[in-house]
Structure formats: C-alpha cells, structure tokens
Amino acid sequence: MTDNWQRKTTLFLASQSISLFGSSLVQYAILWYITLQTQSGVMMTISIICGFVPTFFLSPFAGVWADRYNRKLLIIFSDSLIAFSTLILAILFLMGYNFIWLLFLMSSIRSIGSGIQNPAVGAFLPQFVPKDKLTKVNGINSSIQAAIMLLSPMLSGAILTFASIEKIFFIDVITAAIAVLTLLFFLKVPPHAKALEKQNLSYFGDLKAGLSYIKHHSYLKDFFIFCAFFFFLIAPGATLTPLQVTRTFGNQVWRLTSIEVAFSIGMIVGGILISTLGGFKNKIHTMGLAVITMGVCTFALGVVPNFWVYLGIMLIYGIVIPLYHTPATVILQTTVEDEFRGRVFSVLSMIAGSIVPLSMLVFGPLADMVKIEYILIVTGVLLLILSFFFVRNKTLLAHGK
C-alpha cells in the first residue's frame, strides 16, 4: 500500500466521475427519447435487455481479465470503446439515421464496455486504498456519483428542449477522452501481482476456479442467491417508474427530470451518511434496513396518487441505495482474496446482467397489460418478505461483522 493513496484515490474518482457525467447524459437522453417517442413497455424492455445481456455473456471473461491483467488499462479500454461507439452514433444521427434500433445497438455496446469495466473497478480500488478506508471512499464515491446523477438529468433535459440528442453524444465523447487521459498519464498504480506473471491462457480453467471459490465460500454463495431474488424484484421500481410517471402524471420532460433529481439528492444524502457514520456495526444490518426501506418505497410508489408525494418517496429510495451498495461492496473487497476479486465482481455483474433482463421480460410486457402500480405493490411486498430472510441469515450476519 502506497503512502500517497489519497492522491491516487482523488485522481481515480475524478476520472471516473468525469466519465460518468457524460455517460449519464447519454443514458437519460436515450431513456427519455425512447419513452417519449414510443410510450411502450415492450420498447423499454428491449432497451433494458440490450443494456444488460452483453454484460452477462462478457462478465465471466471480464472477471478473468481483471484478475490477470492490468486493471487500469482495462478501465481505459472500456472507456475508449464506449466513447468511440458514441462518436459513431452521433455522426449517424447527424446524417439523419435516427432510428430506435441504433439506440438499442448503442446500449449493447455500452453494456460491453460496462461488462469489462465493472469487475476491474471493483477489484482496482483495494490496490491503493487501505482496507479501513474503503467504506469511507466507497461512500464518498456514492455521493459524487449521486451529485452527477443529480446534474445530468437536468442538463440532459435542458439540452433536449433546445438541441438535438446528438449534442449530448458529443459531450460524452469529450468527457470519456478526459477520463482516459487522466488515467493514462497521471494515475500511477503498479499492476497487481497476477498481472506481472506470465499468462498461460486458460480462461475456462480460471473461470472454473473462480466459480469453485464462490461455491466453497459460505458468504458469497448465500449473498449471490439473495442478489438473484433482489435484482428480480427491484427491477420494476428501477426501470418502470419513468413509464409510470408518463402514463399516470403526464409526459412532460420536467416530470421525468424531477424524479431523477429527487432520487439523486437522496443518494447524495445517503452517501454522506454512510461515509461519515459508517452504518451499523454489522454491515448486514445496514443492508437489511436498506432492503426493508426499498420494499416499503416500492409499495408506496404503487399507491400514492400525488406526484409531489411520489417525489418524496423517490428521495427516500435514493437515500437507502448507498446504505445497501456501499457495505455490500466493502464486504466483497475485504473478504475476497485479490487473485479472485475480479471474478467475484464479474459474477455479481453477471447475476445483474441476467436477472434484470429476465425480470423485465416478465414485467415489461406485463406493464402493457396491467397498471404499473399493481406491479410495484406486489414486488414491494415480496421485497419485504425477502428482507426478513436476509437479516436472519446466520452466515451473512457472521461475515457482516
């Protein structure tokens, strides 16, 4: 561990924040473009599937890469891939080829980049951040990301009101280039030990070893089973709310912007809380409180008739996201050996990359047949039931200490 970890952490978080800003602008632009143009649950489902399925298929290999190769270079490559594809899309839109299927293709390419990047980022931070500082750093990172998520929907909505969508695409290209140059020339972190060894290519052998490690790690096995159910039930609240707002309260851009703003303000508050207070002594208790609150909020989003109350619920929802995500990430970063960390984070990405699209294959078409409110009520109740089993799992509680 270097004695200059604060500078490295600042540079890394700054580069990722700049990249996230541009990506968030594109994410909201694509989401709102599809929502406002189609108002279709099926179209939203296709978009979401395109954004997750490539991650699912790539994650097993990306985890092996993150454990074998220089993680910083993998992050640089993924940012560059996303920037280049966004540039091509912007040019096509300028030429008049503004087809919905191009946005689906773009979501798929961005998913490939995320599939490479996520395991590398999760495994990279512990290389230069002391273990006892990981909760604080991850909490600060959550607040920074939330602040960006607060600004980006407002800016994206503002730009879309007076300019075309390709302007946002070009902003993403510029921010990605800044992030790549920062990592490449200013952040000096030696590769981890495995990356310095001569590599004998056996992806499936490494993948099998990683899966075997998870299978025989009591916490990981139980936690990933929980994650499968959690991601399935959380998907409607995370993805169908813009469509619900459009149908129930109105299709004005400011409404879509305001729910993202409320959610992001909540995440800023939650990130500050977890980085300063650290949560309960047992991290599982902190995560359990977050899941219970998510269940209550999901249920409430299905019953409130007033848009301003709806925004208040989204604010609370945002607060508890860092209370779940931060301790979950820290437990993985501190309990998993460095040589397996990339594969463990890749399996987590793979679970999300498969379960969320599977959930939307069910709930997306269902949203065109029944009210989204009914879907949120049912999934909210099921989340509350799931939280009961989560906080009473002795294996999880033992590792949460």
Side-chain angles (χ1 to χ4, degrees):
M1 194 72 62
T2 67
D3 56 0
N4 199 22
W5 68 270
Q6 295 97 332
R7 177 180 177 276
K8 293 180 179 180
T9 301
T10 301
L11 282 172
F12 180 70
L13 295 185
S15 68
Q16 293 305 290
S17 299
I18 292 169
S19 177
L20 176 64
F21 174 71
S23 295
S24 297
L25 290 178
V26 171
Q27 174 186 335
Y28 287 114
I30 291 176
L31 174 64
W32 293 342
Y33 189 90
I34 294 173
T35 301
L36 297 175
Q37 291 291 321
T38 68
Q39 296 193 27
S40 167
V42 172
M43 287 297 183
M44 294 264 308
T45 300
I46 294 173
S47 177
I48 291 165
I49 289 174
C50 290
F52 278 95
V53 170
T55 297
F56 169 73
F57 287 108
L58 188 65
S59 286
F61 299 100
V64 173
W65 297 336
D67 285 335
R68 282 186 171 195
Y69 304 120
N70 189 319
R71 291 160 181 163
K72 187 183 79 168
L73 295 181
L74 287 174
I75 297 170
I76 290 173
F77 172 77
S78 61
D79 274 339
S80 301
L81 173 65
I82 293 173
F84 180 74
S85 60
T86 305
L87 176 62
I88 298 299
L89 182 65
I91 294 172
L92 289 173
F93 263 61
L94 281 175
M95 295 172 64
Y97 298 101
N98 54 344
F99 305 121
I100 294 292
W101 68 265
L102 281 175
L103 298 179
F104 295 156
L105 177 62
M106 179 63 190
S107 294
S108 298
I109 296 174
R110 296 178 74 86
S111 178
I112 292 173
S114 297
I116 297 172
Q117 187 177 52
N118 291 339
V121 170
F124 187 52
L125 266 176
Q127 285 184 221
F128 54 90
V129 177
K131 281 188 177 183
D132 62 338
K133 303 296 183 183
L134 281 171
T135 297
K136 183 176 182 178
V137 169
N138 280 291
I140 292 172
N141 191 31
S142 293
S143 292
I144 293 173
Q145 291 184 13
I148 292 169
M149 301 298 279
L150 171 64
L151 294 173
S152 56
M154 291 189 290
L155 290 175
S156 183
I159 294 172
L160 284 176
T161 58
F162 66 83
S164 56
I165 193 173
E166 54 265 19
K167 298 291 193 306
I168 296 178
F169 294 157
F170 280 115
I171 294 174
D172 186 32
V173 174
I174 295 171
T175 55
I178 294 172
V180 167
L181 292 174
T182 300
L183 287 179
L184 196 59
F185 295 108
F186 298 101
L187 181 63
K188 306 298 181 182
V189 177
H192 57 292
K194 185 72 174 178
L196 297 175
E197 298 176 4
K198 183 179 180 180
Q199 304 298 331
N200 296 314
L201 294 180
S202 177
Y203 289 119
F204 291 102
D206 280 6
L207 176 59
K208 184 179 179 180
L211 294 176
S212 177
Y213 176 81
I214 293 171
K215 180 180 178 181
H216 293 93
H217 195 297
S218 57
Y219 173 82
L220 293 178
K221 184 170 62 176
D222 287 5
F223 177 65
F224 284 156
I225 291 173
F226 164 78
C227 283
F229 288 100
F230 176 73
F231 285 133
F232 186 85
L233 295 175
I234 210 73
T239 58
L240 291 178
T241 45
L243 188 60
Q244 179 198 13
V245 168
T246 300
R247 291 178 179 177
T248 304
F249 300 110
N251 63 354
Q252 298 93 338
V253 172
W254 74 266
R255 293 187 186 273
L256 297 177
T257 303
S258 61
I259 62 172
E260 300 298 338
V261 169
F263 184 81
S264 299
I265 290 175
M267 281 194 64
I268 294 173
V269 174
I272 294 172
L273 286 175
I274 195 67
S275 64
T276 55
L277 302 179
F280 294 116
K281 185 175 181 180
N282 191 313
K283 292 181 174 61
I284 296 300
H285 290 158
T286 306
M287 295 166 64
L289 174 63
V291 177
I292 292 171
T293 308
M294 288 181 206
V296 173
C297 287
T298 302
F299 180 89
L301 290 174
V303 297
V304 295
N306 183 279
F307 181 68
W308 301 107
V309 177
Y310 190 97
L311 288 182
I313 296 169
M314 292 298 292
L315 175 72
I316 297 172
Y317 211 133
I319 290 173
V320 298
I321 292 295
L323 303 188
Y324 173 84
H325 177 73
T326 299
T329 301
V330 171
I331 291 176
L332 293 182
Q333 289 175 334
T334 55
T335 62
V336 176
E337 285 86 346
D338 186 57
E339 61 179 302
F340 289 102
R341 199 175 290 137
R343 276 165 285 183
V344 168
F345 274 101
S346 75
V347 170
L348 183 59
S349 295
M350 190 168 57
I351 292 172
S354 60
I355 297 300
V356 172
L358 178 63
S359 176
M360 289 310 299
L361 282 175
V362 176
F363 295 119
L366 189 62
D368 287 338
M369 295 184 284
V370 302
K371 281 189 172 183
I372 294 176
E373 285 79 357
Y374 297 154
I375 297 174
L376 295 175
I377 290 171
V378 173
T379 53
V381 171
L382 292 176
L383 274 170
L384 288 173
I385 295 172
L386 180 65
S387 68
F388 173 79
F389 291 100
F390 179 70
V391 297
R392 292 179 63 86
N393 186 295
K394 293 181 179 179
T395 299
L396 299 178
L397 287 170
H399 282 79
K401 294 178 181 178

